[in-house]
Amino acid sequence: MDLNTRYLGLTLRNPMIASASPLTGDVGVIRQLEDAGAAAVVLPSLFAEQIRAEERLTEALINVGAESTPEAGSYFPASIAYNSGPSGYLDLIARARAAVDIPVIASLNGSAEAGWVDYAKLIEDAGASALELNIYRIATDAVTGGEAEADCVSLVGAVRRQIKIPLAVKLHPYFSAFGALARQLDLAGVDGLVLFNRLYQRDIDLVRLGWRSDIALSNPDEIRLGLLWMSALCGQLKRASLAASTGVETADEVIKYLLAGADAVMTTSALLRHGPKHLRSVAADLETWLSARGFASVTSIKGLMRNSHSDKEERERSDYIRSLLSYRGPFVHR
Ligand SMILES: Cc1cc2nc3c(=O)[nH]c(=O)nc-3n(C[C@H](O)[C@H](O)[C@H](O)COP(=O)(O)O)c2cc1C
């Protein structure tokens, strides 16, 4: 069975990638992920806020005695244990590359263009196989949809100019016209889109009357938005390949994303729940499914279920109406 796939211009031995999480910040676990079948790993993100904090500290040390106080990023956690800071991050890249044969994708995480994008070059120099840029911005200020999208394209352009290694962009789905944004990013030279970032909305604790920032892991019901956009974008981009992220628990979700048009499929929650070895059973079940249906390769199912309608918007509307009409339940009589 040929499980190979191409993502970011790289040949992967299968479509499964361990996405960014604390697991991939540990070289020992990265080795276990490779042994269990991961085709690539994405390191935990280095945050723009960390890079800025380090720059401020350096400035403050240079200006000791010059009455300068480093301005603190007041909302930002004081220390981030899992990626060991900007210089430790470059070391993590080098150690991970030396430890495994699979591609090691570094991750930079920010929301607006600034000096931190220069770090992309250091990441390339440290030996990363590719860079994933996670643009995590909740546009609560008075910016228009068009302005928020233009900011994304401009940030991607700034990072693109820094590096020659493949560049992926990980985005949340809440843009007013995601199809147009994806096409603009494609034209701006990205090699892959990761669909989607999960927004980690806080909850309210009614006992303590305070906000709770604990993280809820995903479940397979969450793949549907990704399936919609995979199937709409499959075959529509000139350069960028597509990776699915969110809700991959078993081989079923991997297969569905591939059928919708994904070139690669990422998982984090399932690995946090079951550990790196979980990938073995996912790979085995993927292979069993493919051979049971007479498919000889992963490539042969890619995009089989894409939205190939000439008027994709019309197709989405008719699916929407069909879904509403399909509802049956104990209190609905029709
Ligand atoms: C504990 C935890 C830490 C994460 N850290 C990062 C990170 O540093 N950078 C990033 O881009 N995504 C991060 N993510 C998001 C995951 O990479 C992934 O996109 C998300 O969990 C959806 O995939 P899943 O449904 O397989 O969990 C994190 C997720 C979790 C649960």
Side-chain angles (χ1 to χ4, degrees), residues 18-24 42-47 82-83 107-109 132-134 170 194 196-198 200 215-219 222 244-249 266-273:
S19 35
S21 84
L23 289 177
T24 56
V42 184
L43 301 182
S45 294
L46 179 62
F47 299 95
Y82 76 52
N83 66 22
S107 166
L108 260 181
N109 191 317
E132 184 175 288
L133 174 66
N134 182 333
K170 185 174 184 180
V194 182
F196 287 108
N197 240 330
R198 284 179 86 217
Y200 291 106
I215 207 161
L217 297 181
S218 70
N219 65 68
E222 294 178 44
S245 170
T246 293
V248 174
E249 175 73 14
M266 299 189 171
T267 181
T268 283
S269 291
L271 297 175
L272 290 170
R273 271 193 204 103

Side-chain angles (χ1 to χ4, degrees), residues 4-170:
N4 280 0
T5 186
R6 298 268 300 163
Y7 172 59
L8 305 181
L10 307 167
T11 299
L12 305 184
R13 59 181 172 159
N14 69 55
M16 294 174 322
I17 298 177
S19 35
S21 84
L23 289 177
T24 56
D26 177 331
V27 174
V29 180
I30 293 177
R31 269 202 213 97
Q32 292 172 28
L33 287 163
E34 181 183 47
D35 287 347
V41 293
V42 184
L43 301 182
S45 294
L46 179 62
F47 299 95
E49 288 81 351
Q50 286 178 283
I51 299 171
R52 283 207 290 270
E54 189 164 274
E55 281 166 2
R56 279 196 295 260
L57 191 64
T58 312
E59 245 168 63
L61 289 173
I62 291 168
N63 295 329
V64 169
E67 289 181 19
S68 84
T69 342
E71 171 208 341
S74 53
Y75 294 113
F76 195 64
S79 80
I80 295 182
Y82 76 52
N83 66 22
S84 47
S87 46
Y89 198 75
L90 303 178
D91 180 52
L92 171 65
I93 294 170
R95 285 186 298 114
R97 277 306 303 276
V100 291
D101 293 327
I102 54 175
V104 173
I105 303 171
S107 166
L108 260 181
N109 191 317
S111 60
E113 201 179 329
W116 62 270
V117 300
D118 297 354
Y119 230 83
K121 181 76 182 92
L122 300 182
I123 283 174
E124 175 173 74
D125 293 345
S129 316
L131 175 65
E132 184 175 288
L133 174 66
N134 182 333
I135 306 181
Y136 194 105
R137 176 188 186 188
I138 315 281
T140 51
D141 295 339
V143 291
T144 65
E147 285 162 351
E149 291 176 12
D151 288 348
C152 273
V153 177
S154 142
L155 173 54
V156 166
V159 174
R160 179 73 285 177
R161 285 190 290 280
Q162 295 285 331
I163 54 169
K164 295 196 173 56
I165 53 174
L167 173 63
V169 181
K170 185 174 184 180

Side-chain angles (χ1 to χ4, degrees), residues 273-292:
R273 271 193 204 103
H274 311 294
K277 285 196 185 125
H278 179 65
L279 281 179
R280 268 190 226 290
S281 62
V282 177
D285 292 348
L286 169 63
E287 230 176 305
T288 307
W289 189 91
L290 288 168
S291 36

Side-chain angles (χ1 to χ4, degrees), residues 201-214:
Q201 299 99 332
R202 289 176 297 161
D203 195 4
I204 291 179
D205 183 327
L206 291 180
V207 177
R208 259 195 328 112
L209 264 194
W211 285 99
R212 277 177 34 194
S213 300
D214 53 342

